[in-house]
């Protein structure tokens, strides 16, 4: 259906059935995933948000298909960010999916942190504010996972994020500076950031712009 309300109704129905155990559970999960991919992306933001959350619920449901499912969806989402012909809706859908997979399947998502952190800057520096904010929400979910790792891992990835964000402070891009300010805010809000990245260095980068 082209009616957003009907689409949301169908998505909500799928969400209610995910945890219902039956002999055809694996078949249903595969079918639901295929249906959700039809609206990720689409022209209605509300529909995409709901669909991404249900996709995250599928990833959280467990089972033998979960690893392959997350692998496929992450690859698809990152391709949506990296392709040269990406649309606004495609970028938004990719960012929403990454956020939900990080939230609902953190262990599996962690395997994709290197490629994710290379791709996320497309969204963080986007001209559209809605895209930048979606990218930051996605990055927040990723950094929450990193924050739970040991010091060496935290320092490696938080430093990488900080250094990439700092680059935008030396450009004339308003969108890039805004995105980097949002990133710095996220870094400073993390409980384990103090020993990983000196706050003085972060603040200096901001004041020098």
């Amino acid at each position: 259906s082209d009616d957003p309300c009907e689409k949301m109704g169908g998505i909500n129905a799928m969400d209610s059935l995910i945890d219902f155990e039956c002999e055809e559970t694996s078949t249903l999960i595969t079918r639901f995933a295929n249906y959700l991919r039809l609206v990720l992306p689409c022209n209605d933001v509300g529909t995409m948000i709901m669909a991404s959350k249900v996709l995250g619920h599928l990833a959280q449901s467990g089972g033998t298909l979960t690893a392959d499912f997350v692998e496929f969806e992450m690859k698809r989402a990152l391709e949506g960010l990296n392709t040269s012909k990406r649309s606004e809706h495609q970028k938004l859908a990719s960012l929403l999916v990454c956020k939900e997979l990080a939230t609902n399947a953190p262990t599996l998502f962690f395997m994709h942190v290197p490629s994710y952190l290379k791709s996320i800057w497309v969204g963080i520096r986007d001209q559209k504010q809605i895209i930048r904010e979606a990218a930051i929400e996605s990055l927040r979910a990723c950094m929450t996972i990193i924050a739970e790792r040991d010091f060496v891992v935290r320092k490696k990835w938080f430093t990488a994020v900080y250094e990439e964000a700092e680059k935008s402070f030396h450009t004339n891009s308003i969108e890039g500076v805004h995105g980097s300010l949002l990133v710095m805010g996220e870094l400073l809000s993390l409980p384990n950031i103090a020993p990983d990245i000196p706050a003085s260095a972060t603040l200096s980068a901001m004041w020098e712009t």
Side-chain angles (χ1 to χ4, degrees), residues 11 14 26-41 51 54-55 58 65 69 72-73 76:
I11 293 168
M14 281 187 276
S26 60
T27 301
L28 284 175
I29 289 178
T30 301
R31 189 175 298 173
F32 289 168
N34 288 333
Y35 288 153
L36 292 170
R37 288 169 192 142
L38 296 176
V39 293
L40 287 165
V54 177
L55 201 70
L58 281 176
L65 298 176
F69 169 73
F72 181 87
E73 294 302 333
R76 183 170 181 262

Side-chain angles (χ1 to χ4, degrees), residues 1 12 23 67 81 84 106 109 116 137:
S1 172
N12 190 49
E23 294 181 358
L81 291 174
S84 59
F109 182 92
Y116 169 83
E137 290 186 12

Side-chain angles (χ1 to χ4, degrees), residues 198-209:
S200 58
T202 305
L203 294 172
S204 295
M206 287 192 254
W207 285 114
E208 287 172 2
T209 59

